[in-house]
Amino acid sequence: MKSNSVKSGVERAPHRSLFKAMGYTDTELRRPLIGIANSANDIIPGHKELNRIVDAVKAGVYMAGGTPIAFGTIGVCDGIAMNHIGMKYSLASRELIADSIEVMAIAHAFDAMVMVTNCDKIVPGMLMAAARLDLPCVIVSGGPMLAGTSDGKKIDLISVFEAVGAVKSGKTTENKLSEIEDNACPTCGSCAGMFTANSMNCLTEAIGMGLPGNGTIPAVMAARTRLAKEAGMKVMMLLKEGITPKKIMTEKAFQNAVAVDMALGCSTNTVLHLIAIANEAGVKLDLEMFNRISKETPHLCNLSPAGTHHMEDLHLAGGISAVMKELSRKGLIHGDCLTVTGRSIIENIKDSETKDESVIRPLERPYHNEGGLAVLFGNLAPSGCVVKQSAVVDRMLRHQGPARVFNSEEEATSAIMAGGIKKGDIVIIRYEGPMGGPGMREMLVPTSAIAGMGLDGDVALLTDGRFSGGTRGAAIGHVSPEAMEGGPIAIVEDGDIIEIDIPNHRLTLKVPENEIQARLSAWSPPKPKISKGYMQRYARMVSSGGEGAIVRNVF
């Protein structure tokens, strides 16, 4: 056992003494030490009840003969961090979470890990740590919240953001906004739609690192507690069998995750995160692979923000196992991939069935013939950009219009809220990429304002930043290279015509090539927006969105 280096032999008497100061017995110290990364806090709704989940994991570890040892990690609530300087720190927190788990696991010689998570950057941060450490590991999420209701219709957090735009445009009242605010988030858990948190929790299950049900069992259900106990027991089995994350997170497993991503219509942020996780696992993912799998994989589920269903509906319809079972009917899933159950995907899903075909449509009757995401290339995004095509109205799949250029999210939001954006405009928000932001902020406020004003069917938004999983409309993010790197988005001018062609995966700045080159030659980078602390260091080392916004190794 790795933990023998901190607890066995005469030389380790001082180490054992410190364990005993915390109440650990000799019996507990003879057992494997199982680290439990716990991201519980009092600022994220998805984390409010994680201590209960951790207690259940501990019980499972004890039942299976291990000694659980919990420690904390940080986490950012994207909704609370949205539309101010705090959002610059959100994506960057992913690297800190992975690094902190690495520090704790190696410094204390854990034999295996259970990682208890929820919400946007915490899930991928923990998966990155799991791949990097390659210790036997199970990921357990805290589960999604239930949807709220207003006027007999289900609502969620995005309903609140969009209601703000509706108030600003006179389409609704502040009293109605207050009612929606009070009812949109009725329970703890990750926000109720197929936003980034739930997307990543579902893909954790699809890739094999979470137990069946990990992505969809609501936070308030007792089944979530039972799942956590099972995870504690399973990690002891993985330790005994020598099953580690790199045996699970193979190239084929990532392809499974992308296929499920496309079937569900997940957040565009999954592209960033899957590339970053794969990098830690030693697997190469490229953006063309996402397009190839999207072309092959029909879009089967239409959850909020694109549709009316929520996570509770997906769970009751059969969950991720039922989605994978449906995809497997036409060979769209690699069934032989190993999972944390100790069994293959095909063994895990063999008894699964779709219980509601209005939520999980059959392959013969999809919402769209192609998957939920598309990667576009062209002279405005030579290294690619990403759009949630399943959330774009048909008439905006192909669109040409004049650019309205802004050098920050704040500038763009002010113009949108003031009614300064017209139908047909293409809003450009630049210098918000991983390096230029720094931190690649999500743009939920401007996209929600556009939607709330009823313009999401007529206005596109392009950015080298990114979008919330709750964004809908022709919102194209991760434009790479970013403006701060001197990418072509840096030299777009007001009035330039831009052509969007999502079906053909093209994004084109309709400016002569010699003019583009002349503008690029005259361009120079602006002064960094943050010049001290963590984000200053992050900006120096981070890669483009097209490469997963990973922090490069610097020697």
Side-chain angles (χ1 to χ4, degrees):
M1 290 188 292
K2 289 183 182 293
S3 60
N4 284 342
S5 63
V6 298
K7 66 183 186 181
S8 296
V10 172
E11 298 84 354
R12 296 297 181 258
H15 303 61
R16 291 193 297 274
S17 183
L18 291 169
F19 275 104
K20 289 177 179 179
M22 295 179 280
Y24 291 101
T25 64
D26 286 326
T27 298
E28 289 172 302
L29 293 180
R30 283 192 288 269
R31 296 173 172 179
L33 302 185
I34 311 301
I36 302 176
N38 177 13
S39 57
N41 57 52
D42 290 340
I43 194 67
I44 305 178
H47 294 221
K48 185 68 176 173
E49 295 295 316
L50 287 191
N51 285 328
R52 172 175 55 86
I53 300 299
V54 168
D55 286 343
V57 171
K58 287 181 176 180
V61 170
Y62 269 125
M63 284 190 284
T67 296
I69 300 175
F71 62 90
T73 69
I74 63 167
V76 172
C77 178
D78 279 18
I80 295 173
M82 195 69 66
N83 198 230
H84 59 91
I85 192 173
M87 179 48 72
K88 295 177 183 290
Y89 288 77
S90 176
L91 180 60
S93 72
R94 185 186 72 182
E95 319 306 310
L96 288 177
I97 291 162
D99 290 350
S100 67
I101 294 172
E102 174 192 354
V103 167
M104 292 296 289
I106 295 178
H108 303 105
F110 294 139
D111 295 299
M113 301 283 296
V114 179
M115 301 187 189
V116 180
T117 180
N118 231 4
C119 301
D120 293 21
K121 309 311 164 301
I122 301 92
V123 183
M126 289 190 171
L127 282 164
M128 289 166 67
R132 186 185 304 173
L133 292 165
D134 204 31
L135 295 172
C137 179
V138 181
I139 309 291
V140 186
S141 86
M145 69 171 63
L146 300 179
T149 57
S150 177
D151 296 333
K153 296 180 180 179
K154 287 186 176 181
I155 60 173
D156 53 43
L157 179 65
I158 305 309
S159 308
V160 190
F161 276 99
E162 294 186 357
V164 172
V167 170
K168 292 286 186 180
S169 62
K171 293 181 181 294
T172 193
T173 66
E174 289 191 30
N175 284 340
K176 186 62 179 177
L177 171 62
S178 181
E179 178 201 325
I180 293 171
E181 172 188 331
D182 288 344
N183 291 286
C185 301
T187 71
C188 67
S190 48
C191 298
M194 189 53 78
F195 314 142
T196 303
N198 290 324
S199 294
M200 289 308 303
N201 283 330
C202 289
L203 299 190
T204 298
E205 184 177 337
I207 209 169
M209 288 298 296
L211 295 172
N214 179 74
T216 59
I217 298 172
V220 295
M221 285 190 173
R224 177 61 60 180
T225 303
R226 296 196 298 271
L227 185 83
K229 289 181 181 178
E230 189 70 24
M233 292 185 280
K234 284 295 182 185
V235 80
M236 297 303 296
M237 179 275 295
L238 297 176
L239 178 60
K240 181 180 178 182
E241 299 293 328
I243 298 174
T244 64
K246 287 187 179 179
K247 293 179 180 178
I248 295 171
M249 288 194 278
T250 62
E251 183 176 2
K252 290 198 297 184
F254 280 102
Q255 291 171 2
N256 283 346
V258 174
V260 172
D261 190 338
M262 298 306 167
L264 293 175
C266 289
S267 163
T268 52
N269 287 314
T270 59
V271 177
L272 284 175
H273 298 323
L274 287 175
I275 291 173
I277 297 160
N279 178 67
E280 295 285 356
V283 174
K284 178 68 174 175
L285 296 188
D286 60 61
L287 293 176
E288 290 288 5
M289 185 208 68
F290 286 85
N291 275 344
R292 177 179 59 77
I293 294 179
S294 180
K295 199 81 173 174
E296 298 169 350
T297 310
H299 175 219
L300 304 181
C301 303
N302 205 30
L303 283 78
S304 176
T308 58
H309 296 132
H310 290 81
M311 296 305 296
E312 62 211 67
D313 303 309
L314 179 58
H315 175 64
L316 293 173
I320 302 308
S321 291
V323 173
M324 296 184 82
K325 180 71 172 290
E326 185 64 22
L327 292 175
S328 71
R329 290 203 298 112
K330 290 193 176 178
L332 298 173
I333 291 293
H334 300 291
D336 59 339
C337 288
L338 185 63
T339 75
V340 291
T341 65
R343 301 178 301 177
S344 68
I345 288 285
I346 202 68
E347 290 174 308
N348 286 347
I349 66 175
K350 63 182 176 66
D351 295 324
S352 299
E353 59 178 324
T354 297
K355 299 173 183 176
D356 186 342
E357 289 191 354
S358 71
V359 179
I360 305 173
R361 286 193 174 182
L363 289 166
E364 294 77 16
R365 191 171 52 85
Y367 284 98
H368 301 96
N369 290 325
E370 291 189 18
L373 301 182
V375 179
L376 314 184
F377 296 92
N379 67 350
L380 188 51
S383 299
C385 56
V386 184
V387 62
K388 189 170 184 174
Q389 63 180 349
S390 61
V392 180
V393 297
D394 286 348
R395 68 177 178 272
M396 288 298 290
L397 292 171
R398 289 185 175 89
H399 177 70
Q400 185 169 291
R404 293 292 312 282
V405 182
F406 303 93
N407 289 332
S408 71
E409 179 187 359
E410 288 84 356
E411 291 177 19
T413 299
S414 294
I416 294 165
M417 294 292 193
I421 302 301
K422 300 179 177 62
K423 289 185 177 182
D425 284 349
I426 297 180
V427 177
I428 304 284
I429 306 179
R430 64 191 179 195
Y431 297 107
E432 290 287 6
M435 182 191 303
M440 204 179 187
R441 284 194 286 183
E442 288 187 346
M443 305 291 169
L444 182 57
V445 169
T447 56
S448 295
I450 287 170
M453 292 175 174
L455 293 172
D456 55 302
D458 300 284
V459 170
L461 196 155
L462 310 182
T463 182
D464 53 6
R466 59 196 178 88
F467 296 109
S468 164
T471 291
R472 61 187 173 95
I476 301 170
H478 312 187
V479 173
S480 299
E482 63 173 288
M484 197 68 171
E485 291 182 290
I489 192 174
I491 53 83
V492 179
E493 297 178 358
D494 272 332
D496 284 348
I497 300 301
I498 294 171
E499 182 180 24
I500 298 167
D501 186 350
I502 294 174
N504 289 307
H505 303 131
R506 301 300 297 171
L507 180 66
T508 306
L509 175 62
K510 306 285 279 188
V511 170
E513 182 61 26
N514 61 345
E515 173 66 13
I516 292 174
Q517 291 307 315
R519 292 184 193 179
L520 287 171
S521 296
W523 173 85
S524 60
K527 182 181 178 181
K529 295 176 182 177
I530 296 179
S531 58
K532 62 181 180 180
Y534 173 59
M535 292 309 299
Q536 184 264 346
R537 299 194 303 275
Y538 177 85
R540 286 204 327 261
M541 298 185 292
V542 71
S543 73
S544 73
E547 296 174 342
I550 60 174
V551 170
R552 302 180 182 97
N553 290 323
V554 179
F555 297 98

